[in-house]
């Protein structure tokens, strides 16, 4: 018997023995105790690199939060899932091209075969060490003076390797602005800062990346824009800011305030976490109100494939350059029931309806309220034909011709019927936002 054959026999015997142990102990094993066994079994079965996460999925039919162990194999892009409560295989190892290693970090929501999974923890130390050791989340905020440059700023954020996991355009009341900047209350510039920050819409975003707090501060550049243009000419404040107050964007100011997505730090000085909670409350609250007007508007959705491909900033720039106003913006992750409700008018009418549903549920999308003269009709013309191939042939300058791939993955949804425009905007910014 060769060495390789001998090793194979040992592995097989070990797996059989482990399986027997699992059967004997199944009734007494907690989900936490189950994880090392599963990880050891995975090692015995394969020496492949793999990453393990704890994922939660809300089952609307049973009204239960279900918990799984998710394994991802980067070699072939396959996934495997185990039901932690019932100690059984939920999904056998299956190749799934829609999932990338870059999507896997605690705090993110991913879609696996139409199920939205929330990654809540690392399944083993190896995964935590390889994937999560440098991951942080921080608040990135576009200020009122740079709102018309938000497309370019978002593009700079994505080009720098950050992931935008939450986003919302809001208009702060004076009271909210005072509350957010309360740490500067004794400073001479406090009143001017509060007045400026409540003077127009802002875009708040949660961004995740390696050492995100310091990396985002570096991308921002010095607080004073004149200094930024001298010392860091490629920074956001150098490119888009005016002075020390109207400096385009905001970022948390120290590593001490960093919020790592794999754990919560209990500290009163945790500025970064407090700032994120202000806009995106984890307790289920809404945070500051969105900016939708529901008048003279139409609905645009930047589809999940376009968000995943990093096209959000480019598409926003395209819309603004075409002469439209973006008066509301928010990132949503659609449940299947919501997508069915929103696309109900296409059911039985459009052949691609099932694929359209799957695409809208496949990851985060960004809803926009777009305003302009006769917005539903004029914006639909700017978007172009639903099929990007036809658009490239007949109207090559249209949005879908520029950014679309297929009739389903055609970059954006836009309202078809003028009478539906306000209703579609209301669906996102009144119903889903609540």
């Amino acid at each position: 018997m060769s060495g390789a054959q001998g090793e194979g026999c040992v592995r097989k015997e070990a797996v059989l023995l482990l399986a027997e142990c699992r059967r004997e102990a199944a009734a007494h094993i907690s989900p936490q105790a189950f994880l090392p066994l599963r990880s050891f079994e995975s090692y015995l079965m394969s020496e492949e690199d793999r990453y393990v996460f704890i994922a939660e999925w809300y089952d609307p039919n049973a009204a239960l939060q279900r918990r799984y162990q998710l394994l991802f194999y980067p070699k072939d892009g396959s996934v495997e899932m185990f039901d932690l409560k019932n100690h059984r295989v939920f999904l056998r190892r299956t190749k799934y091209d829609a999932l990338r290693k870059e999507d896997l970090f605690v705090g993110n929501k991913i879609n696996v075969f139409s199920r939205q999974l929330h990654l809540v923890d690392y399944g083993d130390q190896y995964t935590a060490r390889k994937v999560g050791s440098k991951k942080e989340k921080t608040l990135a905020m576009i200020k009122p003076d740079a709102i018309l440059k938000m497309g370019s700023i978002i593009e700079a954020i994505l080009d720098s390797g950050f992931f935008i996991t939450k986003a919302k355009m809001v208009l702060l009341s004076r009271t909210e602005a005072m509350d957010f900047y309360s740490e500067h209350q004794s400073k001479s510039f406090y009143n001017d800062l509060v007045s400026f920050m409540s003077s127009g819409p802002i875009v708040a975003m949660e961004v995740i990346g390696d050492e995100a707090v310091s990396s985002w501060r570096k991308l921002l550049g010095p607080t004073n824009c004149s200094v930024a243009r001298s010392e860091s000419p490629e920074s956001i404040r150098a490119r888009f800011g005016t002075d020390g107050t109207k400096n385009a964007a905001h970022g948390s100011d120290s590593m001490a305030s960093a919020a790592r997505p794999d754990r919560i730090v209990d500290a009163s000085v945790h500025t970064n976490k407090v700032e994120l909670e202000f806009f995106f409350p984890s307790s289920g609250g809404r945070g500051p109100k969105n900016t939708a007007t529901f008048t003279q508007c139409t609905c645009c959705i930047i589809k999940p494939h376009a968000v995943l491909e990093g096209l959000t900033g480019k598409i926003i720039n395209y819309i603004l350059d075409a002469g439209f106003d973006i008066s509301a913006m928010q990132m949503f992750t659609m449940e299947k029931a919501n997508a069915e409700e929103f696309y109900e008018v296409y059911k039985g009418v459009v052949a691609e309806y099932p694929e359209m549903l799957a695409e809208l549920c496949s990851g985060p999308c960004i809803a926009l309220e777009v305003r302009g003269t006769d917005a539903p009709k004029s914006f639909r013309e700017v978007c172009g034909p639903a099929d990007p191939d036809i658009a490239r042939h007949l109207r090559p300058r249209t949005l879908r011709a520029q950014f679309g791939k297929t009739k389903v993955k055609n970059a954006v949804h836009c309202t078809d019927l003028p009478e539906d425009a306000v209703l579609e905007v209301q669906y996102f910014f009144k119903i889903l936002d609540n």
Side-chain angles (χ1 to χ4, degrees):
M1 181 183 294
S2 69
Q5 288 174 322
E7 184 180 343
C9 288
V10 171
R11 281 178 176 274
K12 186 175 181 180
E13 289 173 8
V15 169
L16 291 173
L17 178 61
L18 179 60
E20 182 62 29
C21 292
R22 284 163 60 86
R23 281 193 293 272
E24 290 294 325
H28 308 287
I29 294 178
S30 68
Q32 288 73 22
F34 177 74
L35 291 176
L37 287 177
R38 177 60 226 171
S39 298
F40 178 53
E41 184 177 349
S42 295
Y43 169 74
L44 290 171
M45 295 297 290
S46 172
E47 292 182 346
E48 283 184 74
D49 196 16
R50 92 281 180 273
Y51 301 103
V52 188
F53 292 86
I54 305 303
E56 291 181 347
W57 170 64
Y58 179 73
D59 183 346
N61 295 322
L64 291 173
Q65 194 81 12
R66 302 196 183 277
R67 202 170 175 91
Y68 302 94
Q69 184 187 41
L70 172 77
L71 288 90
F72 176 75
Y73 299 87
K75 182 178 179 180
D76 62 357
S78 60
V79 294
E80 197 173 8
M81 290 176 64
F82 298 87
D83 186 324
L84 292 178
K85 181 180 180 181
N86 297 308
H87 299 190
R88 64 187 182 193
V89 175
F90 180 77
L91 173 68
R92 294 191 182 279
R93 183 171 172 177
T94 307
K95 188 172 172 58
Y96 190 62
D97 293 332
L99 192 61
R100 309 173 304 165
K101 178 185 172 183
E102 292 79 10
D103 302 324
L104 298 172
F105 50 85
V106 169
N108 198 23
K109 291 181 180 179
I110 61 173
N111 187 284
V112 177
F113 295 110
S114 299
R115 278 185 168 82
Q116 283 181 25
L117 303 176
H118 184 203
L119 302 180
V120 296
D121 202 355
Y122 299 106
D124 59 20
Q125 289 300 314
Y126 173 80
T127 303
R129 189 169 61 251
K130 293 285 285 187
V131 178
S133 60
K134 293 183 178 180
K135 292 291 183 191
E136 296 172 350
K137 58 184 175 182
T138 191
L139 176 73
M141 183 169 66
I142 301 173
K143 294 184 176 182
D145 60 308
I147 206 70
L148 294 179
K149 301 294 184 182
M150 61 180 166
S152 298
I153 294 174
I154 289 171
E155 199 172 345
I157 291 171
L158 297 174
D159 288 346
S160 297
F162 293 102
F163 291 90
I164 297 174
T165 50
K166 296 175 185 176
K168 186 176 183 179
M169 183 184 288
V170 300
L171 179 61
L172 295 177
S173 67
R174 184 172 179 84
T175 301
E176 287 171 331
M178 290 171 69
D179 188 23
F180 184 79
Y181 284 108
S182 58
E183 63 181 305
H184 298 305
Q185 194 167 2
S186 61
K187 306 287 179 61
S188 60
F189 58 78
Y190 176 69
N191 285 328
D192 288 341
L193 179 62
V194 167
S195 296
F196 168 60
M197 291 302 297
S198 57
S199 67
I202 63 173
V203 175
M205 295 168 283
E206 179 187 84
V207 299
I208 292 181
D210 291 343
E211 300 176 342
V213 177
S214 60
S215 297
W216 171 234
R217 294 293 301 179
K218 183 178 180 181
L219 181 61
L220 276 177
T223 302
N224 187 293
C225 298
S226 297
V227 176
R229 279 187 279 273
S230 173
E231 296 181 359
S232 185
E234 297 302 314
S235 66
I236 285 173
R237 285 169 171 161
R239 294 169 61 195
F240 305 112
T242 304
D243 53 37
T245 300
K246 297 179 179 179
N247 57 4
H250 165 90
S252 298
D253 59 5
S254 73
M255 279 298 295
S257 66
R260 289 186 181 272
D262 57 335
R263 61 183 182 272
I264 296 174
V265 180
D266 184 14
S268 59
V269 295
H270 205 312
T271 310
N272 191 52
K273 181 171 174 57
V274 170
E275 289 187 350
L276 284 169
E277 284 287 324
F278 183 88
F279 289 101
F280 308 108
S282 58
S283 58
R286 291 182 60 195
K289 186 179 176 182
N290 69 58
T291 55
T293 65
F294 310 114
T295 59
Q296 298 179 336
C297 63
T298 192
C299 180
C300 172
I301 304 170
I302 303 176
K303 293 188 174 183
H305 81 91
V307 174
L308 181 64
E309 292 165 26
L311 297 175
T312 300
K314 291 180 173 66
I315 291 173
I316 288 174
N317 275 339
Y318 186 99
I319 293 170
L320 295 174
D321 290 345
F324 295 95
D325 293 325
I326 295 175
S327 46
M329 178 178 84
Q330 191 163 341
M331 180 177 279
F332 294 91
T333 302
M334 298 283 280
E335 298 286 350
K336 187 177 180 182
N338 298 137
E340 288 175 336
E341 205 169 39
F342 184 76
Y343 274 156
E344 187 179 13
V345 67
Y346 300 107
K347 189 175 182 179
V349 177
V350 178
E352 295 82 9
Y353 172 75
E355 290 79 12
M356 289 168 62
L357 279 183
E359 165 60 22
L360 194 55
C361 297
S362 66
C365 64
I366 295 178
L368 307 173
E369 180 187 69
V370 178
R371 302 186 75 206
T373 305
D374 195 10
K377 182 174 182 290
S378 58
F379 185 68
R380 195 169 65 251
E381 289 174 354
V382 165
C383 289
D387 189 329
D389 288 333
I390 294 174
R392 281 187 279 271
H393 181 69
L394 298 179
R395 300 173 62 193
R397 291 182 173 272
T398 56
L399 196 156
R400 286 168 173 156
Q402 297 287 318
F403 304 111
K405 298 170 69 177
T406 67
K407 195 172 179 181
V408 172
K409 296 184 177 183
N410 57 0
V412 295
H413 161 87
C414 62
T415 307
D416 285 319
L417 302 174
E419 57 267 30
D420 289 339
V422 173
L423 294 175
E424 289 193 354
V425 173
Q426 287 176 336
Y427 187 80
F428 281 95
F429 294 99
K430 273 192 175 179
I431 296 173
L432 292 188
D433 188 34
N434 284 329

